[in-house]
Amino acid sequence: MKITRTFVLSGVALLALSGCSSAAPEAEPSPSSSKISYTDGLHAKVLSVETANTISVDIDGQTKEVRLLNVVAPTEHNNEFSGSCLIPESTDFLRQKLPEGTEVTLDFDNSRVGSSGYLEAAVYVGDDFINADVVREGFATTTFLSQRDEHYAPVSEAQQEAAREGRGIYSKDVECALPHAIQLHIDRVHQANESDDEDARISSYKAASRFYNTLMSTAKSPNTWIGSIVTLDAVKDQLKELKNALGKNYYDLQGKTEQEKQSEANEPVRPGS
């Protein structure tokens, strides 16, 4: 029995030794799997442009999708007013700015991955701040996690400039743009003021008032697509023009004009009511 047990134990030991000697040495990590240090000044090479705020880049042999920080591009899935405006034009603009092979530098905010799940970065070509360039030409809006975002201010200033100059999605001449829609309501109210058709006049006043009220409510959410546009000085001025055009024919959120509310306030209170 002792001989048998010794034989079996010896066999197990030989198998263990054999297994150790035949095991392949642990592979060295390849360059493509090395960890990237996401610090300001990170160099990358543009592989492609997907949308007006999303690019594919090569970083140390790894392909990464980068979203332009504080920039929201129009997309076909954006249901907000003018959110799907000038999609091809905005993408083409960024492709011209960042052709394949362009060397870029990436800077980051406090959190390098945004709520979208993308790597978010401020993209530079030399001293040229690409995020602001796209917005300045009226091909995107700006957004923020907080107004203390490190790169938000220059992008926001670029958006104000685009609105003042009436570029891209801030143009009254672009049919899908919000300023164009505001101007249409202003023109319709002026036409209604000169119309003899009372029903048509009231219909125009109510439509313009609903439109105005909807837009004003979005100003409470300036980090959204439509809210970002409504809070621009040039657009706020245009909305004031619409409200002034309506004058006493403006219908509030309860669907009443100032004159109607005044009449109700002056109605005598019935006994027992």
Side-chain angles (χ1 to χ4, degrees):
M1 289 295 293
K2 289 182 180 179
I3 295 173
T4 305
R5 289 184 64 187
T6 303
F7 177 79
V8 171
L9 290 171
S10 299
V12 171
L14 285 170
L15 285 172
L17 288 171
S18 173
C20 288
S21 62
S22 62
E26 186 175 346
E28 292 291 329
S30 64
S32 61
S33 64
S34 59
K35 188 174 181 180
I36 299 171
S37 178
Y38 294 101
T39 56
D40 285 356
L42 182 64
H43 294 289
K45 181 182 291 186
V46 175
L47 298 176
S48 62
V49 170
E50 312 303 331
T51 68
N53 74 333
T54 307
I55 61 177
S56 227
V57 301
D58 178 280
I59 305 174
D60 293 337
Q62 298 186 49
T63 299
K64 298 290 182 182
E65 281 200 330
V66 176
R67 182 158 289 181
L68 273 58
L69 189 65
N70 297 127
V71 177
V72 182
T75 71
E76 59 185 12
H77 305 297
N78 192 331
N79 295 322
E80 292 188 274
F81 195 92
S82 82
S84 56
C85 187
L86 302 182
I87 297 173
E89 293 85 350
S90 63
T91 305
D92 287 345
F93 175 79
L94 189 57
R95 284 180 179 149
Q96 291 171 15
K97 296 289 293 185
L98 298 176
E100 182 180 350
T102 301
E103 298 285 345
V104 297
T105 303
L106 308 180
D107 283 354
F108 304 93
D109 219 325
N110 294 331
S111 176
R112 69 173 183 267
V113 177
S115 58
S116 62
Y118 284 88
L119 175 67
E120 297 192 349
V123 180
Y124 292 88
V125 176
D127 294 328
D128 192 6
F129 186 22
I130 301 301
N131 304 45
D133 289 347
V134 175
V135 174
R136 185 176 293 107
E137 291 305 313
F139 289 124
T141 68
T142 185
T143 187
F144 54 85
L145 292 176
S146 92
Q147 293 194 33
R148 292 187 299 275
D149 286 4
E150 183 180 349
H151 302 282
Y152 171 69
V155 179
S156 179
E157 290 167 7
Q159 188 185 27
Q160 290 282 7
E161 180 182 330
R164 285 195 303 271
E165 299 299 324
R167 300 176 188 144
I169 58 174
Y170 312 108
S171 171
K172 296 178 184 178
D173 298 324
V174 174
E175 289 189 6
C176 58
L178 182 59
H180 177 81
I182 299 174
Q183 190 60 49
L184 278 180
H185 278 289
I186 292 172
D187 294 342
R188 287 169 183 169
V189 168
H190 287 313
Q191 292 168 6
N193 290 339
E194 299 175 2
S195 174
D196 295 328
D197 188 332
E198 184 177 0
D199 289 340
R201 287 202 313 272
I202 293 175
S203 178
S204 295
Y205 297 148
K206 285 185 175 181
S209 296
R210 283 194 300 270
F211 182 73
Y212 173 87
N213 293 333
T214 297
L215 292 183
M216 291 304 294
S217 68
T218 64
K220 299 174 183 177
S221 302
N223 58 334
T224 64
W225 172 276
I226 192 68
S228 176
I229 298 177
V230 172
T231 53
L232 296 170
D233 292 340
V235 178
K236 286 192 292 186
D237 289 344
Q238 197 182 4
L239 283 171
K240 287 180 184 176
E241 184 182 350
L242 174 58
K243 181 76 177 296
N244 290 336
L246 283 165
K248 64 181 182 180
N249 298 307
Y250 162 69
Y251 287 80
D252 65 12
L253 291 171
Q254 286 70 47
K256 296 179 180 179
T257 64
E258 193 63 37
Q259 184 176 359
E260 289 172 340
K261 288 189 290 184
Q262 189 64 41
S263 297
E264 290 177 0
N266 293 332
E267 285 183 3
V269 177
R270 297 179 181 181
S273 63

